[in-house]
Amino acid sequence: MLFRPPIIIRRIFPSLIWHFSDQEKGLFLTFDDGPSPEVTPWVLDQLDKFDVKATFFCLGKNVEMYPQLYADIIKRGHATGNHSYSHIKGWGMDTALYIADVDTAAEFIHSNLFRPPYGRIGPHLAKMLSERYKIVMWNVLSRDYSRSLSGKRCARNVIRHLKPGAIVVFHDSVKSAQNLWYALPLVLRAIKDRELECKVIEL
């Protein structure tokens, strides 16, 4: 059960951003697949409670449906990134169609950050998208979406890997809600107890 990407994958894609090595105390919480009216407002309240900022990699279709919720993310001081319009897979899909989907999302999400859904992206596609976006991956995956993973296990494995420069992935989606509701407050408390500082991703 992988919570960190294999080193070989990171070596194949050295131009992608997997972590930030220049941080003494800073780390980077990120949330994928939102905004979701069932989950995102709770996430925002938790982040406010702990005085933490994060980066939300949003789906264009969700921003189109819930523009006020997207605006609230920005109003509360968080950053946003493009996570495609329709959560497409980057393997086995026509390159032009994939890029068109990302560009459609960019009509609603004004950011130079992009994270490929499922982390699936090939070298050619990565090269093309890198001409317009900073591609942000991660080095700590919560796997909060997993039906076979408990909230306790999710929290424990994230907390174990909390280090300066880490990019941590959660999901503000209905599918991930049960584990997220359990794990996120524990992770935020651990961040505060370790005197780490959550930062937004700005490139």
Side-chain angles (χ1 to χ4, degrees):
M1 190 174 292
L2 295 176
F3 290 87
R4 294 169 63 83
I7 292 176
I8 189 171
I9 298 297
R10 285 179 274 171
R11 288 177 176 170
I12 292 172
F13 295 95
S15 64
L16 276 56
I17 299 163
W18 298 93
H19 70 286
F20 294 95
S21 59
D22 60 345
Q23 297 295 313
E24 292 185 4
K25 289 191 174 182
L27 61 81
F28 302 83
L29 284 183
T30 67
F31 294 85
D32 288 3
D33 296 355
S36 162
E38 297 89 351
V39 182
T40 306
W42 177 86
V43 170
L44 292 173
D45 288 344
Q46 290 297 309
L47 297 177
D48 282 351
K49 179 180 178 180
F50 286 88
D51 192 24
V52 161
K53 301 304 179 187
T55 303
F56 289 77
F57 286 90
C58 300
L59 295 176
K61 65 179 182 179
N62 288 348
V63 175
E64 184 177 18
M65 285 191 293
Y66 309 111
Q68 291 304 314
L69 186 50
Y70 178 76
D72 195 29
I73 292 172
I74 296 172
K75 182 180 178 181
R76 297 206 202 186
H78 306 289
T80 61
N82 187 328
H83 196 45
S84 81
Y85 182 84
S86 56
H87 208 263
I88 52 178
K89 296 182 180 181
W91 295 345
M93 183 176 183
D94 180 80
T95 298
L97 290 177
Y98 188 100
I99 292 176
D101 192 273
V102 175
D103 287 345
T104 299
E107 297 176 14
F108 304 96
I109 304 162
H110 304 295
S111 172
N112 70 331
L113 306 179
F114 173 70
R115 173 174 285 161
Y118 311 100
R120 295 179 180 178
I121 190 168
H124 177 65
L125 187 55
K127 182 179 179 181
M128 294 186 69
L129 287 171
S130 292
E131 295 175 359
R132 284 181 282 173
Y133 299 96
K134 302 293 186 181
I135 302 178
V136 181
M137 304 297 275
W138 61 85
N139 65 342
V140 182
L141 180 64
S142 70
R143 298 191 78 246
D144 48 2
Y145 52 80
S146 175
R147 301 295 187 189
S148 63
L149 190 71
S150 69
K152 184 176 181 180
R153 177 76 185 278
C154 176
R156 184 172 69 242
N157 281 280
V158 171
I159 291 170
R160 188 173 75 182
H161 296 298
L162 289 177
K163 296 178 181 179
I167 301 176
V168 182
V169 180
F170 283 103
H171 297 78
D172 54 327
S173 65
V174 173
K175 181 179 180 180
S176 303
Q178 184 172 350
N179 283 338
L180 182 69
W181 287 334
Y182 182 91
L184 183 59
L186 297 179
V187 170
L188 292 173
R189 172 52 60 194
I191 289 170
K192 287 298 182 181
D193 289 346
R194 297 181 186 187
E195 298 184 343
L196 294 168
E197 178 186 354
C198 286
K199 298 181 177 182
V200 300
I201 299 175
E202 296 177 311
L203 297 168

